[in-house]
């Protein structure tokens, strides 16, 4: 899943993120669901976070490109392989570089 801005907007239920489903082998994108995001939570220049309006056409655009989706999937699969079980991964994208923030085993499968 992906949103514009900070993921807290998704966690708090304030926005609905885009969702992507990727086949593990062979690696391919099975489903893309783009959600209109008219606002996002961003770091404020003065510190803390603030809600900002997201204008069209960006509000209706896909958050991650196909190349980014597959790059992120590669990271997730490497983490899953390392731990030997499916993982719930929290991540960030800044200046076109992915950062893995947190991972934990998925226990609801």
């Amino acid at each position: 899943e992906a949103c514009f801005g900070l993921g807290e907007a998704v966690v708090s239920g304030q926005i609905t993120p885009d969702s992507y489903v990727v086949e593990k082998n062979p690696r391919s994108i099975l489903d893309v669901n783009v959600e209109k995001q008219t606002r996002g939570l961003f770091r404020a220049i003065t510190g803390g976070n603030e809600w900002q309006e997201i204008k069209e056409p960006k509000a209706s655009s896909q958050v991650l490109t196909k190349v980014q989706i597959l790059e992120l999937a590669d990271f997730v699969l490497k983490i899953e392989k390392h731990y030997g079980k499916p993982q719930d991964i929290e991540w960030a994208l800044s200046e076109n570089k992915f950062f893995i923030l947190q991972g934990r085993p998925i226990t609801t499968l």
Side-chain angles (χ1 to χ4, degrees), residues 80 83-89 102-109:
E80 182 178 290
Y83 287 107
K85 58 182 79 171
Q87 300 286 305
D88 180 9
I89 304 296
Q102 177 176 315
R104 60 191 164 279
I106 296 175
T107 58
T108 59
L109 295 178

Side-chain angles (χ1 to χ4, degrees), residues 4-35:
F4 295 112
L6 301 172
E8 177 60 31
V10 175
V11 174
S12 67
Q14 298 291 316
I15 63 119
T16 302
D18 286 3
S19 64
Y20 313 114
V21 178
V22 178
E23 177 73 35
K24 288 182 179 183
N25 192 12
R27 189 102 62 258
S28 63
I29 299 171
L30 297 177
D31 186 51
V32 173
N33 186 18
V34 177
E35 294 288 339

Side-chain angles (χ1 to χ4, degrees), residues 80-97:
E80 182 178 290
K81 182 177 179 183
H82 175 78
Y83 287 107
K85 58 182 79 171
Q87 300 286 305
D88 180 9
I89 304 296
E90 293 182 15
W91 55 273
L93 179 66
S94 179
E95 297 181 17
N96 208 33
K97 183 176 178 182

Side-chain angles (χ1 to χ4, degrees), residues 1 9 13 35 39 42 47 52 54 60 66-67 74-75 82 87 94 109:
E1 295 180 327
E35 294 288 339
R39 65 187 190 132
F42 296 87
Q52 295 177 9
I54 300 172
S60 295
K66 291 180 182 182
V67 169
D74 286 341
F75 282 123
H82 175 78
Q87 300 286 305
S94 179
L109 295 178

